[in-house]
Amino acid sequence: MLLRILLLLFILLIVPDAYIYLRYVRRWTCRWLMRALTFLPTILLLLYMLLVMQHDDMRTEHQPVVGLFMFVFLLYTVPRMLFTLLDLIGLLFLPRYVRLFAMTVALFSSILLCYGFFIGRSRYVVHQQTFYFQNLPKEFDGYRIAHFSDLHIGTFGDGHQSDVTDIVNLINRQKCDAILFTGDLVNYESRETDGYKQVLSQLKASDGVFAVMGNHDYSMYIPAERAVREADIQELQRRERSYGWTLLLNDHVVLHRANDSIAIVGSENDGTGRFPALGNLPLATAGLCHVMRNDTATYVCVVDSDTVAVPKDDHTFSILLTHDPTHWRRNVLPDTRIDLSLAGHTHAGQFKVFGWSPVAFVYDEWSGAYTEGAQVLNVSDGIGQIMFPFRFGAWPEVNVITLKRQ
């Protein structure tokens, strides 16, 4: 993973060093030894990075090593980079006051990084949301869902294993009708879940726990033959089912209340670029009434073992679990009439200030609720972390969604 951002790491490390040396160190001292010593922390950090790169494969035992390195690296480089950028602005006007401001911002960023690493990653919150739908069946008015995403359970191996129990207890305390998980149970491989079966099996809801797989659950980062990766995927699926979870792989279940029903639809991960694109919405919704937009004017459905024709305006109210939020605009909106889609994947960048995150440059829909006509997408900020165990602003969350008739 570090290889993917190696250029960014070097920029964060080298640019502030060069600026601070040219702007300040050369003016402060003429002694070559003192000048050389200013580069010592950078040299040590480079050596540390080279050492950590030997373990840059996201294996369970290596994830704490990489996480600690990212904290030390960012704690050293981010304040210096912020100071550099702001101090450059100060060259244009009011240099003394801008320099003081730059130093204040650098100090604040250090405090923020420490808070996010030591406290923010475990600051679990419950985000209450209510969505209104005209076609929600009457018996499901007030139906409550606990949605969580991106557990990334391997990241808890750095001494935070008990957090998984806290998460399960937090979800169960919401006493929802259904629990829906939108993928990324692991970072790298199925054995990250070793020792967690008992606690994950304790997730309970009256209608059950339903899950889909995220990109990390497809063993895409294991540098091995396809057969090895496929075996690991099958093992992870077996483990999820052993927890009592219903794993929906381009499939659905129908929930009943008296004479009314809704469908929980699960798509396999459908991403872009290097991420697996395995979603098949026609297959996932097969047998549901008028969920796909290309359904004919009258549609033959099976209801309680009887074959009936229903009007075109009548369709199965559907909730889609899909890991990647880009799936919504690419396929869900143009091809389906799915009412509510739930996703994760973005983590809201694990950093958010005043409702904004740098991840907004990458994703159009990345946190919270989005509407298009009568269709709704809700993107969870997730509850775990990947690579850098840190959260600030984008606190690890459980989304409690209440469905209401409009």
Side-chain angles (χ1 to χ4, degrees):
M1 287 293 287
L2 293 178
L3 281 174
R4 299 178 185 274
I5 58 171
L6 193 58
L7 178 60
L8 176 61
L9 295 181
F10 272 112
I11 290 173
L12 283 171
L13 193 60
I14 302 302
V15 170
D17 251 20
Y19 176 80
I20 292 171
Y21 176 79
L22 295 172
R23 175 94 170 114
Y24 294 104
V25 175
R26 286 197 314 174
R27 295 166 53 186
W28 288 345
T29 180
C30 295
R31 297 181 180 181
W32 68 268
L33 181 59
M34 296 300 295
R35 289 181 175 184
L37 284 175
T38 62
F39 294 104
L40 182 60
T42 298
I43 294 170
L44 292 175
L45 199 54
L46 274 172
L47 293 174
Y48 184 18
M49 183 167 67
L50 291 174
L51 178 64
V52 172
M53 292 289 285
Q54 307 303 311
H55 307 291
D56 184 32
D57 56 11
M58 287 201 300
R59 287 190 182 277
T60 307
E61 60 270 23
H62 295 160
Q63 289 169 33
V65 176
V66 174
L68 180 61
F69 164 75
M70 287 301 298
F71 171 65
V72 173
F73 184 90
L74 294 175
L75 187 62
Y76 177 72
T77 59
V78 169
R80 289 158 57 86
M81 178 60 82
L82 289 172
F83 174 83
T84 296
L85 295 175
L86 293 172
D87 198 55
L88 274 170
I89 297 173
L91 292 177
L92 302 177
F93 58 93
L94 300 175
R96 178 181 300 176
Y97 298 104
V98 173
R99 187 177 305 128
L100 288 172
F101 177 69
M103 294 172 65
T104 302
V105 170
L107 177 61
F108 176 77
S109 69
S110 299
I111 296 171
L112 183 151
L113 283 164
C114 289
Y115 184 89
F117 182 78
F118 291 108
I119 299 174
R121 63 178 293 186
S122 300
R123 184 179 168 178
Y124 301 109
V125 299
V126 176
H127 187 192
Q128 300 280 353
Q129 297 165 284
T130 302
F131 296 134
Y132 294 85
F133 298 94
Q134 288 184 341
N135 59 338
L136 178 70
K138 186 179 300 184
E139 293 292 333
F140 286 87
D141 189 19
Y143 194 80
R144 297 176 73 246
I145 295 164
H147 171 214
F148 74 111
S149 190
D150 298 272
L151 187 57
H152 291 287
I153 203 163
T155 308
F156 295 97
D158 62 350
H160 287 76
Q161 291 88 342
S162 63
D163 279 26
V164 179
T165 301
D166 294 339
I167 290 168
V168 169
N169 290 339
L170 178 64
I171 294 172
N172 284 340
R173 282 200 300 271
Q174 308 314 309
K175 299 187 182 303
C176 290
D177 298 294
I179 297 172
L180 309 181
F181 175 64
T182 48
D184 275 1
L185 177 60
V186 299
N187 294 330
Y188 181 83
E189 58 190 347
S190 61
R191 70 184 181 93
E192 290 175 39
T193 62
D194 289 352
Y196 290 107
K197 179 178 180 179
Q198 182 178 1
V199 63
L200 292 177
S201 299
Q202 291 172 7
L203 276 175
K204 300 296 180 184
S206 57
D207 283 333
V209 181
F210 304 93
V212 294
M213 297 178 70
N215 56 289
H216 283 264
D217 298 327
Y218 289 89
S219 306
M220 61 179 291
Y221 299 104
I222 297 179
E225 295 118 358
R226 183 181 181 86
V228 175
R229 296 197 302 271
E230 288 294 333
D232 194 68
I233 294 169
Q234 294 297 321
E235 174 61 16
L236 182 61
Q237 293 175 357
R238 184 195 68 77
R239 292 186 182 205
E240 290 195 48
R241 292 187 176 106
S242 76
Y243 306 151
W245 300 6
T246 300
L247 191 59
L248 299 174
L249 305 175
N250 291 327
D251 201 357
H252 69 266
V253 295
V254 177
L255 305 178
H256 297 276
R257 290 281 190 279
N259 293 323
D260 290 335
S261 62
I262 64 173
I264 307 294
V265 181
S267 169
E268 292 206 51
N269 189 84
D270 201 288
T272 59
R274 69 184 186 277
F275 299 125
L278 303 171
N280 186 330
L281 292 175
L283 177 62
T285 61
L288 300 179
C289 301
H290 298 308
V291 174
M292 299 302 295
R293 290 194 182 278
N294 59 3
D295 286 346
T296 53
T298 58
Y299 192 86
V300 175
C301 296
V302 177
V303 179
D304 295 333
S305 302
D306 295 326
T307 301
V308 297
V310 297
K312 186 175 181 179
D313 290 337
D314 190 9
H315 90 293
T316 306
F317 185 93
S318 303
I319 301 170
L320 173 68
L321 311 185
T322 182
H323 180 69
D324 193 315
T326 66
H327 191 201
W328 189 62
R329 198 161 291 281
R330 282 186 290 106
N331 297 112
V332 177
L333 287 178
D335 299 338
T336 80
R337 301 169 65 200
I338 287 171
D339 303 274
L340 173 62
S341 298
L342 304 178
H345 184 58
T346 69
H347 300 206
Q350 296 177 198
F351 173 79
K352 194 191 296 184
V353 288
F354 304 114
W356 177 86
S357 169
V359 79
F361 292 123
V362 182
Y363 295 95
D364 292 328
E365 291 85 23
W366 55 273
S367 177
Y370 303 84
T371 59
E372 194 80 28
Q375 294 173 277
V376 178
L377 167 69
N378 193 67
V379 184
S380 171
D381 289 355
I383 203 161
Q385 307 89 39
I386 181 68
M387 191 164 68
F388 181 34
F390 162 93
R391 280 193 181 258
F392 188 88
W395 311 119
E397 71 176 12
V398 175
N399 301 81
V400 174
I401 297 170
T402 303
L403 305 180
K404 298 290 291 182
R405 281 173 63 89
Q406 196 168 36

